[in-house]
Amino acid sequence: MNVEELCRDLLAERVDLFDLLALVGDGWSRPTPAEGWSIRDQVTHLAWFDEAARQAIAEPVAFVTGRDAARNNVGQLVESIRVECSSRDDGEIVGWLRAAGEQLAATARAADPGMRVPWYGPAMSLASCITARIMETWAHGQDVFDAVGVTRRASPRLHHVAFIGWRAMANRLVANNLPVPTEPVRVELDGGHVAFGPVDAVDRVHGSLVDFCLLVTRRRHLADTDMVAEGRFAAAWLPIAQAFAGAPGSGRSPGQFR
């Protein structure tokens, strides 16, 4: 997909979340399944990193200067943002997220589509940057839906989340000191309607698109998904699968959402 299409998907992915946030009322301090994080924390995290992504595209030198000061401890940066934003007025937060997303999309649309965007991990293409923001929107949005107890309808943009999760396989294996297969693992979701990797791959993963996305964003434990692995590399990867960079965090406990 081109950057214009990805920007449209980024903004579209937020519609259900905005609709849900309109119903939160005075419940912004309600805890989410992410330990220590409230609904407010989830939304302000999204908005803050949207602004960071916009700066990385429009002002990469300034972004890198700030990034380098925090690069050795991104976890501490994330926590400091959460604490700093915990006192923000609830009425401002939705507007902040909406404006941050729109400004990010406008900046990406005006940028050179061939640029490399610096980030807290390796630099990435502009398309990958926006795809990552779609993934983050869906993942943090899932925490809000879980906190409120509302069943979420499947997003037509889940293929973006699944793609990132699949592409990150080698990084996750290396990070866990595990061997990387010489051939990509085949992932087939929703009966093959969404698939990645060679058709004749020995190692394979299959299950539902929603469950795969919940797994790779660490919003569900593997035991609570319908994912099935075939082959030793696939079996080693699934328990540690992760679509985002950095430390995995505690994830979710088995049986938490049964």
Side-chain angles (χ1 to χ4, degrees), residues 51-121:
E51 291 186 339
R54 184 211 62 77
Q55 185 189 43
I57 296 167
E59 306 168 74
V61 174
F63 171 83
V64 167
T65 299
R67 187 274 314 274
D68 287 350
R71 195 169 192 174
N72 291 332
N73 198 337
V74 177
Q76 185 178 56
L77 171 65
V78 170
E79 178 61 13
S80 68
I81 293 166
R82 189 189 69 80
V83 172
E84 175 187 328
C85 296
S86 63
S87 61
R88 289 195 70 140
D89 182 75
D90 298 345
E92 297 177 357
I93 295 174
V94 172
W96 180 24
L97 179 62
R98 192 183 303 276
E102 290 173 350
Q103 290 164 11
L104 169 59
T107 300
R109 284 167 169 149
D112 176 0
M115 76 173 294
R116 300 293 293 176
V117 181
W119 199 238
Y120 296 92

Side-chain angles (χ1 to χ4, degrees), residues 11 19 29 42 65 91 122 130 132 139 154-155 169 182 186 204-205 211 220 251-252:
L11 298 180
D19 288 346
S29 296
Q42 299 286 353
T65 299
I130 302 304
S155 167
M169 180 189 66
T182 56
R186 171 79 171 175
R204 311 174 75 85
V205 166
D211 276 13
R220 293 293 185 273
R252 305 292 178 262

Side-chain angles (χ1 to χ4, degrees), residues 162-163 165-167 169 181-189 192 194-205 212 237:
F163 176 72
W166 172 73
R167 280 287 299 270
M169 180 189 66
T182 56
E183 295 293 333
V185 170
R186 171 79 171 175
V187 172
E188 293 184 347
L189 307 170
V194 176
F196 312 105
V199 175
D200 60 350
V202 174
D203 284 75
R204 311 174 75 85
V205 166
F212 183 72
W237 169 49

